Every structure is written in C-alpha cells, then in structure tokens.
Amino acid sequence: MARDNIRNFCIIAHIDHGKSTLSDRILELTDSVDKRTMEDQILDDMELERERGITIKARAVTMRYHADDGKEYEFNLIDTPGHVDFAYEVSRSLAACEGAVLVVDASQGVEAQTLANCYMAIDHNLEVVPILNKIDLPSADPDAAAKEVEDVIGLPCMDAPRVSAKLGENIRAVLERVVRDVPPPQGDPDAPLKALIFDSIYDSYKGVIVYVRVFEGTVKPGDTIRLMSTGAQFQLVEVGHMGATSLTPCDKLEAGEVGYLTASIKTVRDTRVGDTVTLASNPTAEALPGYRTVTPMVFCGIYPADGADYPDLKDALEKLQLNDASLSFEPETSAALGFGFRCGFLGLLHMEIITERLEREFDLDLITTTPGVQYRITLTDGTVEIIDNPSAYPDPARIAKQEEPFVNAHIYTPNEYVGPLMDLCQTKRGIMIDMKYLDETRVDLHYQLPLGEIVYDFFDAIKSRSRGYASYDYEWEDWHESKLVKLDFLLNGDLVDALSLIVFADNAYAKGRRICEKLKENIPRALFEIPVQAAVGGKVIARETVKAMRKDVLAKCYGGDITRKKKLLEKQKEGKKKMRQLGTVNLPSEAFTAILKLD
Ligand code: GDP
Ligand code: MG
C-alpha cells in the first residue's frame, strides 16, 4: 500500500464515552470481521476486560477502507484503555500514530480523561479529530458539548461528526475525517530499519509476538533483527498484519506501516515495549525516543497460598510482564508468608487486574498483602532510602526526615457537588490549589493529595459523593515532608510481618483499631482465644479478641441428611485450603483484602 493511503490512528476518550463501541462499528463498516463472529467490543478479548466492561490492553487492527474519493486506504486502528491507571498504555499507543479520534459523549461533555488524553495526544504531535457520540440519547446536547470542547481544549469542534456508535449512525463521516485530517505517515523504506515496539503478547504456538510501528526502512522474514536496548539478535520467522480476530502474514513491512513480527524469541524479557528494532546487517545509528518511563505508584506483596507454587508464580509474573511493562516485581521473603514477590503497579485497579489474571489465567491461589506507596526516608547519618516495603522501615531512632509522595489531582464536577468533594479531599489531607469554572455549571477542583491516601478507594468515594458525575485524573507532583509510623499487628502475641503498614502518624490509632476489628471478623475461631493487637514501636494501641470456638461444623446437623454433612465438610475443606498458618493462628487470605476495604 502506498504510504499516502495509510492512516495510523487511535481512539481516545474518557471512560464509557464509547471508544470500544465505535471501534466495533468501524470494524463492521470496513468488513474487518465476519458478521457471524462479531460480538460486542471485539477488541476487548480478555475475559476480564469483558466482565469489567473496560479496555485494559491496547490492541491494534489493520483494516481496508474504500473512501468517498474512490481510493482504498489502509487504516491501522489502535484501541486504548481509558482508566486513570492505564495512562501509560495510552501513551504507548499514541507514539505509533499520526492522529487520534477524540470521542466525546454528547450527554456528558468534557471529562477529566478527555482532557488528559487529549493533551497527551497533542504532546505526541498527533492530529486530533473530535467527534460527538451518543446523539441518540435524549439527554444529548451536541452543541453544548462541542462548545465545551472548543472552550476547554481549544479544538475547533462545531463541524465535528455527530454519531451514535450504538446505533451505527454516521460512522462513515468519522472515517472520512480520518482520511481527510490525519496525515499519512512519513519515512523512507530504503533507510536503515527503525521500528517501535508498542505491544507484545505471548502466544503458546508462535512464541513472543511483537507489535511494531515501522518508522524507517523495511523488514521481512529471514532478516536478523537487533533490539537496540539490549543488543539481542533474532532471525525473523514471520511478519504480517493484525486482523480483528487473526494474524495475516505478509512478505514485508515498510516505513509507515503497523504490523507484527515473530522470531524465535524465547526469553520474555528480551522484548521491551518502547524499544527500537533495527537490522543487524544495516543498523540505524540512533534509537527512537523511548516512552516516558513508567513509575509504579502502588506496591504490595504477592505470595502463593501454597509455597510449592512459588516457581509457577514467578513464571506467571514474567509472562504478564511481557504484556505489561508497567508491572514490576522482585523476590521478597516474609516470616509469615514465606517466599513471594514485592510487586509494583500503576494504581489499585491495575493491581486488582494483575492478581485476578494470575489467579484465573495461571490457576494460582494467592495471598496479597495490603498495598502501599513509596516513602523517602533520610537517616541521621545522611543516607537517603526509598522504601516500598514496611519490613524495610528503619529503626525510628535512626530517622532524621520522612517524606511521602503527593500528586496533582484534578476533579471535574458539576458545581453542586463541590462541597462534599472538598470535604473528601480535606479528610484525605489534601491541599487546595485552585478551583476553576469550566462553564457555568462545571468546575475543575485542583488539589495536591498524598498518594497513600488516594490509592485505595478515592475513585469510588468521588463517584459516590457526586452521584457518579465527577471524574478525576492525577499525576505525580513531589515529595512532601510527613510524620509517619510503622503500624504492626500481632495475632496471639506473634507479630505478623505481612500485615505491617506505614501510615500517617495521626491516623495510626484510628487505622489500628479499624483493622483489628476487620481481622477479628475474618479470623475463624480456634479452640483457644486469639488476641488481635495493633502496635506502634512495640506499644499496643488497639486490641480485639477472637473468642474460642465451642461447636464443630457438624454439630448443627443432628444425624439424618448425609449430603448436607458432606457439603459442610466440603466447605470446611475449601476454607482450609485458602487458610494460612501464621504461628498458632489460621489467617484466611480474605483477611488481607478485608483490610483494604476499610471505609
Ligand atoms: P469506552 O469505555 O469508551 O470503551 O466505552 P464503551 O464503548 O464500552 O461504551 C460505554 C457504554 O456506552 C456502553 O454501555 C455502550 O453501549 C454505551 N454507548 C456507546 N456508544 C453509545 C451511543 O452512541 N449511544 C448510546 N446510547 N450508548 C452508547
Ligand atoms: Mg472500552
């Protein structure tokens, strides 16, 4: 395909504004999927994505489009995730495109991630093509939404296509805009190869499949490629284009194209998203500018419920990391839980998704410890340590200064919810920076907030205090000096290291008490009484007691029904499997997650 007839674009939007639905319609209209195999949101093929109705992984598809000008175009569409945790994936997709279709829900207008994603696209020098979606809704007001896009983002929008992705109305107009407004790719097919890895997946038949955008040069099967960050070399087996549901091999990929490569790449660590691929025989001198490095913001320990599964867990984490460069992990040991990994995530949703995938796709039973953030601690001898693990917390006598991470958060909300949202930010120790009106009724609240206070449930809290109308977005701000303490928990007198937390000193007492209550609810009774205690620096600050057990499970079915007895015994066995012996106490893995859901 001539370069002039190629369009590489992605779709960006605030969550739920209709990206995935629009992608489906575009796939249908370009006959990229068989009508019979068409399912809703076909790009979201991960089981988990379907269940949660969100797009987690960016996916790319090559399509053919017969435009009104009579020519045939090759479209490479890259679907992107919309949740605040996955901004990194959005950034990777953008670097492979020349344009972005910005979907705005005409009944909602501009939301936090509409703006955040749009600015990211502009930062990558993409042509942004706005469209107004959901015009079929009675509450849709496309004129008002268009005006908001013009006022808030400064993007001309009055003549933007007005579509209903759900009903398939006016989809061609979107594709005509892509042809007209998104520039064709540049690049010289005869130059040394420069291709950007923007995604990769592990396939049990083909091995590692690498998704690339070729910027310069040509690549074909048989070539020896070199990955520039490591210098590793591989012989290419296959190149081709991604269809919606299959891969189609072709004889070469040229400058401007998006496609995939397979080689006998076995070690998953070799393909780094953001890396540049070149040819060993005629290498380029300079790598493409990499992506901004992702910094995990939330950390927790992940342990196999059965210690024998440790190698499987390691293998599974390595495989997931191939698909998700933002996941980090390193081995750690806990006196209570044995061998496991300290893992870093972009946010809490990211953490939940990874642990769920580990359990489902790799059939692992896991125990996850309470998530926390990083702290910067300066010792009295002047050394500075960054710690993400409470077990590494130094002796308080050696600490000179403690700092915790803060973020810049923007909350977009109708003005009637400003009061409750300001209260919320206040209880989270937020510092108000300013408040701007987006239009007569909508406000941008700008706060600096401690990351440690917002990682757990801030998103839900914002939604519930604004009846779902507010949205938010945040980015790293800076370290702020803070008063911190390590909060420990003792079960039957034994310290359980895996339960320890670093908390803001003034919150230690309240937190300690709440967590003791939660633990008490979740620890099954034993034949003896179990004291549950919270302590700071060896001093107990809260206590609950799990009463001793009186009856066994079968006591309540007198004689009679054998199937019921069996069921109860089954249940008990099931419970035991998930239980972890901590010293003298059995702790169910639910106890760890229960601590999370405190508010
Ligand atoms: P995404 O999060 O941006 O990918 O949004 P989805 O495509 O998953 O859509 C979110 C919700 O909005 C789904 O329930 C869709 O059915 C619905 N939706 C998408 N487009 C339209 C539309 O044009 N009209 C209406 N009424 N609903 C739509
Ligand atoms: Mg989606």
Side-chain angles (χ1 to χ4, degrees):
M1 176 78 53
R3 255 200 330 283
D4 276 350
N5 292 8
I6 297 177
R7 296 292 180 274
N8 299 317
F9 67 101
C10 56
I11 303 182
I12 54 175
H14 187 72
I15 193 157
D16 281 347
H17 280 202
K19 281 185 317 282
S20 301
T21 312
L22 180 66
S23 310
D24 289 350
R25 291 298 92 79
I26 293 177
L27 291 175
E28 283 173 355
L29 205 139
T30 54
D31 290 323
S32 302
V33 278
D34 188 335
K35 282 275 176 333
R36 277 167 309 164
T37 59
M38 188 69 201
E39 303 168 65
D40 281 348
Q41 283 151 26
I42 199 144
L43 293 183
D44 299 345
D45 65 353
M46 233 152 61
E47 188 187 2
L48 208 64
E49 291 189 339
R50 286 177 178 279
E51 271 172 32
R52 293 184 178 234
I54 53 171
T55 307
I56 298 161
K57 290 288 301 169
R59 294 288 317 272
V61 178
T62 301
M63 299 173 287
R64 298 280 156 148
Y65 175 60
H66 299 275
D68 291 352
D69 63 9
K71 293 187 200 142
E72 191 184 53
Y73 288 84
E74 177 182 309
F75 277 2
N76 291 301
L77 165 65
I78 297 177
D79 192 29
T80 59
H83 190 275
V84 59
D85 279 6
F86 299 101
Y88 171 68
E89 300 253 346
V90 179
S91 159
R92 299 188 329 189
S93 314
L94 297 184
C97 302
E98 277 78 33
V101 170
L102 174 70
V103 179
V104 178
D105 182 334
S107 70
Q108 304 284 325
V110 173
E111 300 273 1
Q113 276 111 51
T114 311
L115 209 62
N117 289 333
C118 189
Y119 284 151
M120 225 193 281
I122 292 167
D123 284 347
H124 281 89
N125 293 319
L126 302 195
E127 188 63 38
V128 178
V129 180
I131 69 143
L132 302 163
N133 188 29
K134 305 201 189 182
I135 53 161
D136 59 290
L137 288 177
S139 57
D141 188 347
D143 289 331
K147 184 163 183 306
E148 204 170 68
V149 171
E150 296 199 341
D151 292 349
V152 178
I153 308 178
L155 206 62
C157 192
M158 277 308 167
D159 70 339
R162 297 171 178 209
V163 311
S164 167
K166 189 173 176 182
L167 305 181
E169 265 171 42
N170 226 7
I171 308 299
R172 263 194 92 86
V174 178
L175 300 184
E176 288 298 320
R177 279 307 159 94
V178 170
V179 168
R180 190 189 82 186
D181 294 344
V182 175
Q186 306 287 311
D188 176 1
D190 299 321
L193 180 70
K194 255 189 206 190
L196 177 74
I197 302 180
F198 68 89
D199 205 354
S200 53
I201 57 166
Y202 183 82
D203 180 280
S204 39
Y205 299 105
K206 293 183 192 267
V208 179
I209 300 175
V210 187
Y211 289 13
V212 293
R213 158 69 201 268
V214 183
F215 282 90
E216 301 282 351
T218 303
V219 62
K220 50 189 189 313
D223 284 347
T224 302
I225 54 159
R226 178 184 297 164
L227 304 175
M228 289 190 72
S229 69
T230 57
Q233 300 198 160
F234 301 94
Q235 189 161 37
L236 282 191
V237 174
E238 192 176 299
V239 306
H241 294 289
M242 288 79 81
T245 51
S246 61
L247 299 174
T248 315
C250 64
D251 53 357
K252 62 180 182 203
L253 290 176
E254 279 188 346
E257 288 190 291
V258 172
Y260 71 89
L261 315 171
T262 67
S264 46
I265 304 177
K266 294 214 181 61
T267 41
V268 297
R269 286 195 207 90
D270 274 326
T271 56
R272 267 286 163 209
V273 164
D275 199 357
T276 302
V277 180
T278 192
L279 289 187
S281 56
N282 182 18
T284 176
E286 214 181 303
L288 292 160
Y291 295 103
R292 84 189 154 91
T293 40
V294 275
T295 38
M297 299 249 218
V298 179
F299 298 81
C300 77
I302 295 185
Y303 291 84
D306 177 351
D309 288 340
Y310 177 81
D312 292 343
L313 175 59
K314 178 162 184 274
D315 191 50
L317 282 167
E318 277 171 3
K319 283 192 178 133
L320 286 183
Q321 195 180 44
L322 170 74
N323 280 344
D324 184 349
S326 52
L327 167 69
S328 72
F329 62 92
E330 55 184 51
E332 74 167 358
T333 34
S334 148
L337 298 177
F339 291 102
F341 294 92
R342 191 78 189 162
C343 302
F345 306 95
L346 300 175
L348 205 67
L349 176 68
H350 186 212
M351 176 182 125
E352 282 174 16
I353 284 165
I354 294 290
T355 48
E356 260 186 74
R357 289 186 66 185
L358 287 170
E359 298 203 284
R360 284 191 203 192
E361 293 170 29
F362 298 91
D363 200 22
L364 292 162
D365 246 340
L366 301 174
I367 294 176
T368 319
T369 66
T370 316
V373 300
Q374 284 182 320
Y375 295 98
R376 185 160 80 176
I377 296 178
T378 310
L379 300 177
T380 44
D381 66 6
T383 49
V384 177
E385 288 179 356
I386 304 240
I387 62 165
D388 59 48
N389 192 339
S391 70
Y393 190 75
D395 175 1
R398 290 171 53 224
I399 296 176
K401 183 171 148 195
Q402 313 195 71
E403 291 163 296
E404 65 176 323
F406 267 59
V407 296
N408 264 316
H410 287 272
I411 304 173
Y412 291 73
T413 177
N415 53 9
E416 67 238 64
Y417 305 113
V418 164
L421 289 171
M422 284 174 67
D423 282 348
L424 173 69
C425 292
Q426 221 62 45
T427 62
K428 301 288 186 189
R429 300 188 281 127
I431 304 163
M432 184 158 169
I433 303 300
D434 70 6
M435 176 170 129
K436 277 202 283 269
Y437 271 83
L438 297 168
D439 55 32
E440 300 89 72
T441 58
R442 288 174 18 102
V443 171
D444 168 9
L445 271 178
H446 179 189
Y447 268 88
Q448 285 176 356
L449 288 154
L451 180 65
E453 296 281 348
I454 63 165
V455 287
Y456 307 115
D457 55 2
F458 193 62
F459 188 64
D460 295 338
I462 284 182
K463 286 285 174 201
S464 71
R465 284 177 197 226
S466 65
R467 301 193 183 179
Y469 282 111
S471 56
Y472 100 116
D473 196 48
Y474 64 78
E475 60 186 15
W476 166 268
E477 195 255 323
D478 206 353
W479 297 102
H480 285 218
E481 188 157 358
S482 184
K483 285 183 300 177
L484 304 165
V485 293
K486 181 167 164 239
L487 181 60
D488 293 318
F489 293 89
L490 296 90
L491 300 183
N492 203 20
D494 297 327
L495 186 125
V496 181
D497 60 352
L499 289 173
S500 295
L501 297 172
I502 296 170
V503 298
F504 185 61
D506 296 357
N507 295 345
Y509 176 71
K511 256 213 168 112
R513 223 181 45 195
R514 300 282 295 284
I515 292 176
C516 283
E517 284 165 10
K518 283 280 172 188
L519 285 172
K520 180 189 166 188
E521 284 168 24
N522 282 280
I523 292 172
R525 292 181 173 194
L527 293 168
F528 47 91
E529 201 177 82
I530 305 170
V532 178
Q533 295 164 306
V536 170
K539 186 167 155 265
V540 172
I541 58 168
R543 174 187 166 128
E544 294 283 337
T545 306
V546 180
K547 295 248 162 54
M549 174 162 63
R550 266 167 288 158
K551 296 183 214 160
D552 73 353
V553 282
L554 292 184
K556 44 187 154 167
C557 34
Y558 313 92
D561 190 358
I562 183 75
T563 55
R564 176 139 177 255
K565 260 187 198 169
K566 269 198 183 135
K567 256 192 201 141
L568 282 169
L569 286 170
E570 235 2 81
K571 245 192 182 159
Q572 198 186 37
K573 211 167 100 200
E574 192 60 26
K576 269 206 185 115
K577 210 177 70 196
K578 283 221 139 189
M579 212 77 82
R580 192 79 191 196
Q581 184 85 28
L582 297 177
T584 45
V585 178
N586 278 321
L587 193 63
S589 44
E590 286 80 27
F592 287 91
T593 28
I595 297 172
L596 267 181
K597 314 232 154 72
L598 270 187
D599 291 301

